[in-house]
Amino acid sequence: MTTNITRFMMDVGDVMLGRRPADVVKARDRAMRTWPAIVGFAFGCALGAICQAAIGLWSLALPTGLALLATAMDITADLKGGQG
């Protein structure tokens, strides 16, 4: 995530201060693809903090359950010959 934020901020700087239009377009495109991941990460951190404050260690049940579900889905796709 550190790399995403660093790259995003560099791209924002290029968009604001860029001298060459081609570089500005590339930086804007990268920034538009990166910001949803940053917002999602921040939202997940906030949700985790709220859950930890509200229910304590049981807050780990949600991400653990989702990881197990994703693993089961991947294994099932592999068994059915799907692409994973």
Side-chain angles (χ1 to χ4, degrees), residues 4-72:
N4 287 342
I5 292 173
T6 301
R7 186 73 228 177
F8 178 76
M9 293 310 299
M10 290 172 58
D11 288 338
V12 168
D14 284 344
V15 168
M16 292 172 60
L17 304 172
R19 297 177 193 263
R20 290 186 282 176
D23 291 342
V24 171
V25 169
K26 288 179 186 178
R28 183 178 294 123
D29 182 53
R30 278 192 308 263
M32 292 302 292
R33 285 185 280 127
T34 304
W35 78 262
I38 295 170
V39 170
F41 180 78
F43 180 75
C45 289
L47 183 62
I50 291 167
C51 287
Q52 172 65 25
I55 59 176
L57 196 56
W58 279 101
S59 62
L60 295 176
L62 178 63
T64 302
L66 291 175
L68 289 172
L69 177 64
T71 302

